Structure formats: structure tokens, C-alpha cells
Amino acid sequence: MQKAATAKEICGVLADAGLDELTALCERYADDPRAQVKSAVARARRRMEREASEHERVSAMYELQTELGGDGVVLGVDEVGRGALAGPLTVCAVALPAEPRIWGINDSKQLTPARREVLAQEIARVATAIGIAHIEPSAIDATGMAVCIKVAMAEAIRDAGIEPDAVLIDGNPVHVHPREKTVVHGDARIACIAAASIVAKVTRDELMVGYDAEYPGYHLAESKGYGSPQHIQAIRERGITPIHRMSFCGNFLETPRLF
């Protein structure tokens, strides 16, 4: 005669089960009177609800991508680094197929660094095209951010190496491509734009970590070039480096100095 499973064993099974197994397991143990098992079943059901909600959210992002971009090649475009004091403006363009879907994709700002890294690897595996462009601080100082965003987006679209049927861009009209459509908060609403935001963020963050070793003392690895208190204080004490945007840093320097 088979020995009945202990409450601890059942809890372990429910915790380790895949989503495709949970419905049947919850039904099997739904009437178990033990408090430990009841709690485990309740946790499993909440987990199923969260996953169902997440699948609905991501599915809606893919559906809106198709609704706005059509069934052809759709490039999502997003930028990162617009408001940083140091480092480049980085723009990424990504084309995603309808399948397989990348579960968990979201606006990069809503994700932890570790989660962004995992998703960036998945995007690199699944994407049909990825283009990246960087605009250096000297160009931002010389021509201004609006011009640089347009130049970077055009370069990222070219770098993707495909002719898109639609270009979906986060934010307001840029007039960078004849098939452009812009979507406010597109990085949280459209799959390919979210993918572009993730790849742009991960790519630029890696650059800033490298710059931290080249220009120590500016806290670039932690701040990623944005205006953290530590970064601003370092600018005041040390002056600016070749990767700082002079037009952004003037307020922090009594007398502008170069590294």
C-alpha cells in the first residue's frame, strides 16, 4: 500500500510544479484538511492568477504591435540616456516576430537590472533584427538633443539592416521615417518598443560600467551617467571628463575644467 504524502511533500510539489501542472495539482489537494496544504494550494492559485495576468499584459503588447504596425516587418525604436550628464545617447531598433513571444517583456524602467539582462539575451535570440546607434556627448553639446535623437534613430533603423513596413517609436513624432508611427508610453504598450528599450538600456549601462574604470571617482557604474548626488559632487570636485556633456554640466562647475 502506497504511503500518503506528507504535508511538507505536497507543499514542495506545489512550489516546484510548472504552470501547466498546477491546475490539476490544486484540484487534487483542494480538499486536503491540513492547514499547511491549504496555504500551499492558496499560494499556487495566486501564482496561477499572476501568471495569467502577466500573459494577458504581454499578449496585449503583441496585439497592439500588430494593430498599429500590420503583419509585415515592424521595427520598434526607443532611446535611453536623454537626461544623463555623461555618456552617449543610445537608440535601439528591434523587430520581433509574432511568435515566439517573450514573456516578461516591459518598459525597461519597470525591470530590475538582472531581469533586463535575461530579457536582453532572449531578445537577441528571438529578434529578426536589432540596430543600435550611439551619439557622443560632443555631438549633443554641438547640435542639441532634439537633432541628436533624430540622427540616432535614423542610424539605428539603418543599422537594423532591414526595410521595415512600419516603424513604431516611443513618444512624440520624430519624422525620421516615412512609415513612422509614434505612441506615447509605447515602451510599456508595444512589444517591439519595449524590446528596444531593454536592449538600449542594457547596452548603454555596459558602456557606462566600462567608463567607470576609465574615469574612476565619478560613480559612473552606479549612476550610469545620470545626475546622482555622488556624480554631481564628483563633477564639482574633479571637473568634467571627455564623456561629460558640457551643456548639461555647466551649473555644477564654478569654472569649467577638463579631466
Side-chain angles (χ1 to χ4, degrees):
M1 187 176 190
Q2 188 175 5
K3 183 180 177 182
T6 66
K8 183 177 181 181
E9 288 170 339
I10 293 171
C11 291
V13 168
L14 286 166
D16 295 337
L19 289 171
D20 56 339
E21 305 171 285
L22 277 181
T23 299
L25 287 170
C26 286
E27 290 177 358
R28 182 188 304 174
Y29 297 116
D31 297 326
D32 193 300
R34 291 170 288 187
Q36 204 174 351
V37 175
K38 286 182 177 295
S39 294
V41 169
R43 286 194 298 272
R45 284 177 171 158
R46 289 195 296 271
R47 177 179 156 204
M48 290 167 60
E49 290 171 0
R50 287 194 301 271
E51 288 295 327
S53 176
E54 175 65 5
H55 273 232
E56 288 178 9
R57 183 188 67 79
V58 173
S59 294
M61 296 177 75
Y62 277 87
E63 289 161 9
L64 186 56
Q65 173 179 304
T66 301
E67 179 183 332
L68 295 179
D71 295 320
V73 176
V74 182
L75 269 179
V77 180
D78 200 12
E79 54 79 21
V80 66
R82 182 195 298 249
L85 304 180
L89 170 74
T90 298
V91 171
C92 182
V94 174
L96 292 179
E99 296 289 344
R101 292 183 173 179
I102 302 174
W103 303 110
I105 201 167
N106 204 344
D107 169 13
S108 64
K109 297 184 290 297
Q110 302 300 316
L111 302 167
T112 65
R115 189 66 181 141
R116 285 196 295 263
E117 291 279 354
V118 170
L119 287 168
Q121 292 176 16
E122 183 67 4
I123 292 163
R125 185 182 71 82
V126 169
T128 54
I130 296 177
I132 297 174
H134 302 288
I135 302 295
E136 297 305 320
S138 58
I140 296 170
D141 286 337
T143 62
M145 185 58 69
V147 170
C148 288
I149 286 175
K150 188 170 184 176
V151 169
M153 286 187 174
E155 288 183 1
I157 292 167
R158 283 195 298 271
D159 190 58
I162 58 172
E163 184 56 42
D165 297 298
V167 175
L168 304 182
I169 299 176
D170 181 43
N172 298 309
V174 185
H175 308 295
V176 72
H177 194 277
R179 299 186 181 97
E180 166 189 321
K181 291 182 180 179
T182 55
V183 184
V184 176
H185 303 307
D187 49 5
R189 298 173 60 199
I190 296 176
C192 59
I193 299 180
S197 78
I198 291 167
V199 175
K201 175 65 173 166
V202 169
T203 301
R204 188 180 183 280
D205 283 0
E206 289 175 354
L207 286 176
M208 298 312 299
V209 170
Y211 281 136
D212 185 74
E214 189 172 350
Y215 302 105
Y218 286 87
H219 306 276
L220 298 175
E222 298 87 358
S223 70
K224 304 302 185 290
Y226 287 88
S228 70
Q230 296 87 353
H231 185 194
I232 291 172
Q233 186 60 32
I235 292 170
R236 287 178 170 141
E237 293 174 354
R238 297 165 174 260
I240 61 172
T241 74
I243 65 162
H244 280 92
R245 305 171 187 178
M246 185 63 221
S247 55
F248 285 43
C249 295
N251 291 340
F252 309 126
L253 296 170
E254 292 183 7
T255 302
R257 291 172 290 155
L258 289 177
F259 184 83

